[in-house]
Amino acid sequence: MKFKTVERNQLFFGQYHYCITWYLKNVSVLRDLDPIKALKSIQYRNQWAPNANYRQRITEEEQHDLIRACDWLLARAHPFKRTVSNHTMYIYTNHPADFKDLGTVADSVVCNSTQVLVTLQPDAVTLKNPVHSYRTFFRERWLRDHELQNIREYFRARADQFRLSPGFQMLVEGRRMWLMGNYFVDHNEPQADFLINMAVPGTVKKTLPIVARG
């Protein structure tokens, strides 16, 4: 597995040197790395597939692939972190050798592999040509129906004040319901995190200044 170097102001989640982007259809059912919970998630998704955003049911063969992948990940020798989004899992590790055969697990593909090179200013977001002063990150969590409605209304009413990250934009537009830890908004309001938390309490993780690359 070849890793591309990326410049950052810190390690991934403050502790991991490597990130592997992995594609496996419907891998989001492995949000909890537990075979029993995965099977329940598959059952729930198949039950609601005709009426929800899921256009197709998860087949029996795909179910076997997902449980096989779950068991394979649970067997890794060292701790690692995961985030998932639809058909993609992002794996953060300090032991890339644990995942050297990842692309052979079920019908999956390793899409990208990166290694952090910490060179940028800490506690800040460095951009080439920034147009905003701050970046606010969100906490990873499930949003209740009224929270979803509130957060969508808040940002739709202020479309000219924020630049939304692609994933967060899909949530605001109504195509996602899970708030991911890598979602963010760029803006020029120093009190934005306070105001967002007033609209939907407990959603903001942190706000960092945006600085220009030297």
Side-chain angles (χ1 to χ4, degrees):
M1 191 179 297
K2 294 182 178 180
F3 288 86
K4 179 178 67 175
T5 300
V6 294
E7 291 183 299
R8 287 173 56 95
N9 62 357
Q10 62 177 350
L11 301 179
F12 295 116
F13 295 97
Q15 66 181 113
Y16 298 104
H17 288 81
Y18 301 91
C19 174
I20 303 167
T21 305
W22 184 48
Y23 173 91
L24 176 63
K25 189 175 180 181
N26 297 307
V27 75
S28 59
V29 302
L30 301 184
R31 191 176 302 277
D32 292 310
L33 209 55
D34 181 308
I36 302 301
K37 291 183 178 180
L39 288 172
K40 289 182 179 178
S41 180
I42 292 169
Q43 182 181 17
Y44 175 82
R45 183 172 298 187
N46 283 344
Q47 179 181 354
W48 289 98
N51 302 313
N53 293 328
Y54 311 112
R55 291 181 170 82
Q56 295 181 338
R57 294 166 58 90
I58 297 175
T59 67
E60 185 173 345
E61 180 179 355
E62 291 168 345
Q63 175 178 306
H64 290 158
D65 280 351
L66 289 163
I67 299 305
R68 177 187 168 198
C70 182
D71 291 339
W72 190 90
L73 290 168
L74 287 170
R76 297 310 88 203
H78 301 92
F80 62 96
K81 181 178 177 63
R82 303 162 298 110
T83 61
V84 295
S85 177
N86 294 334
H87 307 300
T88 305
M89 177 179 289
Y90 302 90
I91 298 172
Y92 304 92
T93 179
N94 289 324
H95 302 276
D98 287 353
F99 300 93
K100 61 184 178 64
D101 297 323
L102 181 63
T104 67
V105 178
D107 187 16
S108 67
V109 178
V110 174
C111 305
N112 193 31
S113 305
T114 56
Q115 179 181 2
V116 169
L117 181 62
V118 180
T119 60
L120 306 180
Q121 179 177 325
D123 300 320
V125 175
T126 303
L127 301 179
K128 185 175 181 179
N129 296 301
V131 296
H132 296 93
S133 300
Y134 303 97
R135 176 168 292 183
T136 295
F137 295 89
F138 295 96
R139 297 184 184 277
E140 183 167 336
R141 51 168 292 199
W142 177 261
L143 295 174
R144 300 180 180 89
D145 288 344
H146 72 279
E147 292 176 320
L148 265 175
Q149 185 66 25
N150 288 348
I151 204 166
R152 286 169 176 164
E153 290 179 354
Y154 183 89
F155 285 100
R156 286 170 180 169
R158 297 164 177 81
D160 60 333
Q161 299 179 27
F162 296 93
R163 184 184 78 84
L164 313 185
S165 65
F168 186 66
Q169 184 170 354
M170 285 192 280
L171 182 143
V172 170
E173 292 174 353
R175 287 180 283 165
R176 293 188 179 177
M177 301 179 68
W178 190 280
L179 191 62
M180 298 292 294
N182 58 354
Y183 289 175
F184 63 83
V185 292
D186 291 347
H187 54 87
N188 294 313
E189 172 53 62
Q191 299 299 318
D193 50 356
F194 172 74
L195 298 173
I196 296 168
N197 266 332
M198 284 188 62
V200 187
T203 53
V204 171
K205 179 168 57 178
K206 63 181 177 181
T207 295
L208 295 177
I210 297 176
V211 298
R213 183 184 293 270

